[in-house]
Amino acid sequence: MNNKAIKKLIAFVKMLKAPAKMLPYLIGLVISVIRRITQQDDAGLVDLTEQGFVCRKSVQIMGGCGSPAVATLSSGNIAAVYACERIKDDVLISSLCLQKSKDPLKIGSQAKHFLFSTPLQLGNVTAAQTSQGLLVGWRMRSNDRLHIPSGLEKAELNSYLENNFALASIGDCKEGNFYALVPDTGEEITDIKTAPACFTAPPCVLSGGEILWLGTKNGKAEAYLSQNICKGFRLVGTVPEIESGRTVSHACCIRLKTGRMLAVICSAGEFFSSFSDDTGARWSVPKSLDIKGTAPNLAISKDGVAVLSFVDPTKDQSIRCCINKDGESDWCKVRLLVSSTAKNMRRPCTIATEKEFFTVSRQRFCGEKESSVVFTQWKPLKEDYDPVAEAKHKKRKRKK
């Protein structure tokens, strides 16, 4: 909507036969509508938030995509890594895909590179730029639900199942958690290493090139450190139990501007925070954030603003976010970021760009329609920095 159209619309409102005291209200309403139109784009099956965050755009990549991750490359490009399913030589396989672009919202239109393929189900994809290159992690497991193409006759179906079974019995198709460095040439991954834990969020790259990865193992959140990815990761510390017998399902961490490590862990649909001042060796006793959700993901901007994005499974399975000015203050109120008419959003991953934030998540459909990856670019408004939470933080500081 250009300036000329805006002026015409406001002039039309002024011409309406309404009491003078109503004109400011009507003009304000028109301005609000214009702002909403210019700041948000229609994203089809994706519903952007109507209040709070300003969503610049949301786009989709269709085609059986899942478990997306996103990372900022040293080249300045944004890379999206995700799992997708395709038919190759009449066999259904899962592939790890890579797409990159300087414009995050144009990633879906760029060339797609298949990094790795397997007949097993891929999930928990993570990615981070390191001094050694793009580090990608993922999980492989036997398909608990076999995706069979529609329209196959009985003979074709039997052949299809036999091929899948035969391919799945290959020796190097192992279940478990894995990671690898992506070749700069775009070739397929060959040097695959077994991960020591289940990593559901990207690792944290520290100063000096060290990498701290927070994962889960045997119901606990464990910190693993690596100085050289080729030499693997070693266990350096474990986050204390929330309470006896309570297990952790997801874990993520970031490095704050102060140098402290902040971890957010998920247990039975609740989030808890923990801090470490010695690179993951020792962690504080987890404290409840009074936030409910699953699949937490942490990101931090250059100016130290921390963002927690997660799935809200209790309402419409939407992606929600909350902000922390420095990672140590109280978290601001939870905001809706993106939801779906399918009411089934999964595993968000957020990174900070120069002026905004960028979140990818999976949109899973319950019917025959294939799932998609949803890319959303957004930024918080001033009111998203909860003044009440900030006042509480300042009051505590004064007491100390």
Side-chain angles (χ1 to χ4, degrees):
M1 184 175 286
N2 55 37
N3 291 334
K4 189 175 180 181
I6 292 172
K7 288 179 181 178
K8 281 186 177 181
L9 186 55
I10 293 176
F12 170 75
V13 172
K14 288 181 177 179
M15 289 174 60
L16 292 175
K17 292 182 180 180
K21 63 181 181 180
M22 289 292 292
L23 286 178
Y25 170 77
L26 290 173
I27 292 174
L29 183 62
V30 170
I31 291 174
S32 297
V33 172
I34 293 170
R35 184 176 298 156
R36 189 64 59 201
I37 292 171
T38 56
Q39 289 180 340
Q40 293 187 182
D41 296 283
D42 181 18
L45 293 169
V46 180
D47 298 326
L48 303 182
T49 177
E50 295 180 357
Q51 296 178 353
F53 292 113
V54 177
C55 291
R56 295 300 185 193
K57 192 162 179 82
S58 196
V59 296
Q60 294 170 280
I61 294 180
M62 304 299 291
C65 304
S67 297
V70 66
T72 304
L73 303 179
S74 54
S75 62
N77 284 329
I78 304 294
V81 185
Y82 55 92
C84 68
E85 293 169 349
R86 58 185 177 130
I87 300 292
K88 184 179 180 181
D89 299 328
D90 297 324
V91 174
L92 180 68
I93 59 174
S94 297
S95 297
L96 202 61
C97 300
L98 169 68
Q99 287 179 281
K100 50 189 177 181
S101 172
K102 287 199 177 291
D103 182 352
L105 294 174
K106 292 183 178 178
I107 288 176
S109 60
Q110 304 304 305
K112 183 187 297 183
H113 297 284
F114 293 103
L115 302 176
F116 172 75
S117 296
T118 173
L120 305 184
Q121 187 178 35
L122 286 168
N124 291 349
V125 180
T126 62
Q129 176 67 48
T130 72
S131 58
Q132 293 178 261
L134 180 63
L135 172 64
V136 175
W138 68 91
R139 181 184 181 190
M140 285 195 297
R141 60 184 178 185
S142 297
N143 284 320
D144 51 9
R145 52 182 182 82
L146 186 61
H147 294 269
I148 301 174
S150 59
L152 292 182
E153 295 181 359
K154 187 174 181 180
E156 293 174 315
L157 178 59
N158 290 337
S159 173
Y160 177 82
L161 294 173
E162 288 174 5
N163 286 336
N164 268 276
F165 180 79
L167 193 58
S169 64
I170 296 175
D172 59 357
C173 293
K174 300 176 183 177
E175 295 185 32
N177 301 288
F178 304 89
Y179 67 93
L181 285 170
V182 176
D184 293 333
T185 56
E187 297 172 356
E188 289 193 3
I189 292 172
T190 54
D191 188 12
I192 298 173
K193 300 185 182 300
T194 301
C198 177
F199 298 117
T200 57
C204 181
V205 181
L206 309 177
S207 56
E210 290 184 319
I211 301 167
L212 186 71
W213 216 342
L214 197 65
T216 57
K217 190 173 183 179
N218 299 324
K220 295 181 179 181
E222 297 183 338
Y224 292 84
L225 189 67
S226 175
Q227 295 177 324
N228 187 326
I229 298 173
C230 297
K231 294 182 179 180
F233 289 80
R234 61 183 177 88
L235 176 66
V236 292
T238 302
V239 178
E241 282 187 304
I242 301 166
E243 57 186 50
S244 181
R246 188 158 183 169
T247 61
V248 175
S249 58
H250 298 83
C252 55
C253 70
I254 53 172
R255 182 179 182 271
L256 305 178
K257 288 192 75 174
T258 59
R260 299 187 83 190
M261 301 301 303
L262 164 64
V264 171
I265 60 177
C266 178
S267 176
E270 295 182 69
F271 294 151
F272 299 80
S273 64
S274 178
F275 294 90
S276 174
D277 294 303
D278 51 12
T279 321
R282 292 172 296 179
W283 296 86
S284 63
V285 176
K287 292 185 177 180
S288 175
L289 295 180
D290 291 325
I291 300 173
K292 295 185 182 298
T294 60
N297 178 271
L298 281 170
I300 189 165
S301 65
K302 286 184 178 180
D303 57 357
V305 175
V307 170
L308 174 65
S309 54
F310 56 94
V311 176
D312 182 357
T314 59
K315 295 183 179 180
D316 54 3
Q317 289 199 305
S318 56
I319 303 301
R320 297 179 182 264
C321 298
C322 52
I323 293 173
N324 192 312
K325 277 192 172 181
D326 55 13
E328 299 186 68
S329 306
D330 291 330
W331 288 90
C332 299
K333 55 187 173 183
V334 173
R335 294 283 197 179
L336 172 67
L337 178 57
V338 60
S339 63
S340 165
T341 52
K343 295 184 178 180
N344 206 333
M345 303 296 290
R346 300 291 183 91
R347 285 192 78 248
C349 181
T350 300
I351 58 170
T353 55
E354 281 297 320
K355 297 180 180 179
E356 299 175 310
F357 290 94
F358 182 59
T359 299
V360 297
S361 54
R362 181 188 183 189
Q363 183 182 24
R364 181 178 174 184
F365 298 97
C366 299
E368 295 181 355
K369 194 170 184 179
E370 291 183 307
S371 57
S372 63
V373 173
V374 180
F375 296 79
T376 306
Q377 195 170 15
W378 58 275
K379 73 174 182 179
L381 300 177
K382 288 182 180 179
E383 55 264 35
D384 293 317
Y385 296 97
D386 190 351
V388 176
E390 188 66 7
K392 288 180 182 178
H393 177 60
K394 288 179 179 178
K395 190 175 180 181
R396 283 200 303 269
K397 272 193 170 182
R398 283 196 296 268
K399 284 183 178 180
K400 290 181 181 178

